[in-house]
Amino acid sequence: MDLKDALEHAGYRVLGPFASAADALALLRQQVPTVAILGLPLKDQSSLVLTAALRRCGVPFLIHADAVLTEPRAQELQGVPCLAKPALPSDIVALLEEICASASGGSALDAPVRWAGQAGDASNPFIRKLECFTALTDEDRAMLAQISAHPRVVPPHTDLVREGDAPDGVFLVMSGIACRHKLRASGARQIMAYLMPGDLCDLDVALLDTMDHTITTLSACTIVRISPETASDLLENHPRVARSLRLARLVDEATLREWLVNVGCRSAIERIAHLFCELLLRLRAVGLAGEDSYELPITQADLGDTTGLSNVHVNRVLQDLRRQGLIELRGKRLKILNLPRLKAMAEFKANYLHLGERAAA
C-alpha cells in the first residue's frame, strides 16, 4: 500500500495491488496495463506464468525480488530490470520511469539486470552527500562507489553496535534510517541523531576503546561496514574526500546542537515541525525527496524519543499539523502541504546543514 501511494503521488493510476498471481492474471484478461511490478517470489511457478502472460501482452515489467536470478525456474527472467528487497518506493518509482522511457523507444526487457546498489553516482547517496561539500574527481567517485557497492540488508530494530562494545569499523547507511541513542535502566530512550542514506556512523570510532552509545536501525536498512583501515585511507590519501568527510562531521555536530535547542526551547509542535523541515532538506540533498514529500519509515514512538514527547503528545501534534493543513501523512510517506508556513512555525533556518543552494526551498 505504501508503494501504491508513492506511485499515485508520482502520477500513475494503479491497478492493484493484487494478493496473488491469479488475481493479476484475471485483470490482465480484462485490461492491459502500461507497465507492471512483480513482487512474487521468483521460485513460485505462478509468478512465471504471470511474467509469460505479461510478455505475450507486450507489457514491460520490473521485478522486486528477494532472491537473485540464479534459480532454475527463473532463468527465463534474465535481462529483466530488478530491485532487491527491501527497496524504497522512491527507488522503485525511479526505475519504473526508466522502464517506461525505454519502452517508448525499445524493449525494456532487453535491458541488463539492475540490482539496487549497482546504480551510478546519481543514485549513490554517499557520493551525493559528499559532493554537497566538495567537488570530487572521477577517481574519488569511483573509489567511493567501490566502497559502497555491496551493502547488506539489516532488519528494523537491529543494533549495529551497542554501548560498551569495542568498535569494529564504520557503518555507512545506504538506505533506510538508523539512529544514535542512549538507553536508561528504566527503558527510556533518547534518540540523539538520525543516520540517513549517505551518512557514516562515527568516522573516527576506531580511536575509542568502547562505544558510549548504541546505533540501531529504525527501519529496514542497507548497510556497508567500512574497515578502520579503509576509513584511515580515506582521510590520509584522498584529500577531497577527507575534506568532505570532515565537513560532514561538522554538520553532524551542528545538527546535534540544533536538536538540543529543539528539546530545550521549542514547543511540542515546533519540535516536530522543525524535524520535518530538516529531514526534507537532508533527503533532498541525496536525491531521496521531492519538492515537498519523502518516505518517513519511523514510528510515533521514534518521534517521541527524538523530541522528548510521549506517544500521546506526538499523536496530538500530528493531528494538529494535519488540521492546520500543513502536512499529510499516509502510511510511511510524509507530504508537507505548506512548507513556508511550517518553516515559519518552527523558526527553521537551514544554515546549520551547510547545504548552500541545496537548502533553498
Side-chain angles (χ1 to χ4, degrees):
M1 296 306 297
D2 288 344
L3 177 57
K4 180 177 184 292
D5 290 343
L7 288 166
E8 290 177 342
H9 181 75
Y12 291 91
R13 182 169 68 89
V14 180
L15 308 174
F18 300 100
S20 68
D23 292 341
L25 284 166
L27 168 80
L28 200 58
R29 286 190 286 269
Q30 301 174 11
Q31 184 173 0
V32 178
T34 303
V35 67
I37 300 171
L38 180 64
L40 294 172
L42 295 179
K43 62 184 178 181
D44 189 336
Q45 184 63 39
S46 63
S47 67
L48 299 183
V49 174
L50 178 56
T51 58
L54 290 169
R55 286 181 187 274
R56 286 195 301 271
C57 294
V59 179
F61 59 93
L62 69 86
I63 297 173
H64 187 206
D66 53 5
V68 295
L69 297 178
T70 56
E71 301 179 27
R73 289 182 177 180
Q75 291 303 308
E76 66 183 73
L77 300 180
Q78 291 290 336
V80 177
C82 298
L83 279 174
K85 289 185 179 179
L88 289 174
S90 55
D91 291 336
I92 298 175
V93 171
L95 182 53
L96 201 66
E97 290 174 350
E98 290 183 21
I99 292 172
C100 291
S102 298
S104 63
S107 175
L109 302 182
D110 296 330
V113 173
R114 178 176 179 264
W115 289 94
Q118 291 182 340
D121 296 349
S123 61
N124 186 312
F126 187 34
I127 296 173
R128 289 191 66 145
K129 177 177 179 177
L130 294 187
E131 288 200 309
C132 288
F133 306 116
T134 303
L136 302 177
T137 65
D138 290 342
E139 290 77 14
D140 291 331
R141 287 189 288 270
M143 180 268 300
L144 294 171
Q146 182 178 5
I147 288 174
S148 57
H150 302 290
R152 63 184 177 93
V153 177
V154 179
H157 315 302
T158 300
D159 292 337
L160 299 177
V161 63
R162 294 186 178 92
E163 183 174 359
D165 289 350
D168 182 25
V170 180
F171 293 104
L172 167 62
V173 179
M174 293 298 289
S175 70
I177 299 181
C179 72
R180 294 189 182 97
H181 68 92
K182 298 277 284 189
L183 196 64
R184 295 187 60 193
S186 64
R189 178 182 64 162
Q190 180 64 51
I191 294 176
M192 298 165 293
Y194 285 163
L195 299 162
M196 315 291 285
D199 287 348
L200 279 172
C201 312
D202 305 307
L203 183 62
D204 290 318
V205 72
L207 299 176
L208 301 176
D209 294 327
T210 60
M211 292 293 295
D212 55 31
H213 62 280
T214 299
I215 298 175
T216 302
T217 59
L218 295 177
S219 70
C221 293
T222 53
I223 303 291
V224 175
R225 178 190 166 276
I226 298 175
S227 69
E229 294 77 18
T230 300
S232 296
D233 178 68
L234 289 176
L235 294 174
E236 294 172 7
N237 300 316
H238 301 275
R240 294 178 185 83
V241 174
R243 174 181 169 79
S244 289
L245 290 171
R246 290 192 172 102
L247 286 169
R249 184 165 52 190
L250 290 174
V251 170
D252 289 344
E253 294 170 359
T255 302
L256 178 58
R257 289 191 290 271
E258 198 67 29
W259 281 31
L260 287 173
V261 174
N262 224 22
V263 174
C265 298
R266 294 189 177 107
S267 68
I269 195 169
E270 289 169 345
R271 296 177 196 183
I272 291 181
H274 194 280
L275 180 64
F276 285 170
C277 291
E278 176 189 302
L279 296 182
L280 176 65
L281 295 194
R282 289 176 64 183
L283 288 169
R284 267 191 200 168
V286 293
L288 294 176
E291 284 300 308
D292 58 8
S293 63
Y294 54 89
E295 299 296 320
L296 187 65
I298 60 176
T299 66
Q300 290 188 19
D302 296 330
L303 286 174
D305 290 345
T306 302
T307 56
L309 304 172
S310 68
N311 289 356
V312 173
H313 206 164
V314 169
N315 186 267
R316 288 174 180 165
V317 168
L318 295 177
Q319 294 297 335
D320 195 4
L321 289 170
R322 288 187 179 101
R323 279 193 298 270
Q324 295 189 47
L326 294 175
I327 68 165
E328 178 181 274
L329 190 57
R330 299 180 60 187
K332 297 296 183 182
R333 187 167 189 85
L334 174 73
K335 182 175 183 179
I336 298 175
L337 302 176
N338 193 325
L339 183 57
R341 276 186 59 203
L342 195 69
K343 291 171 66 176
M345 170 185 286
E347 296 181 357
F348 180 81
K349 297 179 181 179
N351 60 326
Y352 68 97
L353 296 173
H354 297 281
L355 292 174
E357 293 183 356
R358 290 177 172 85

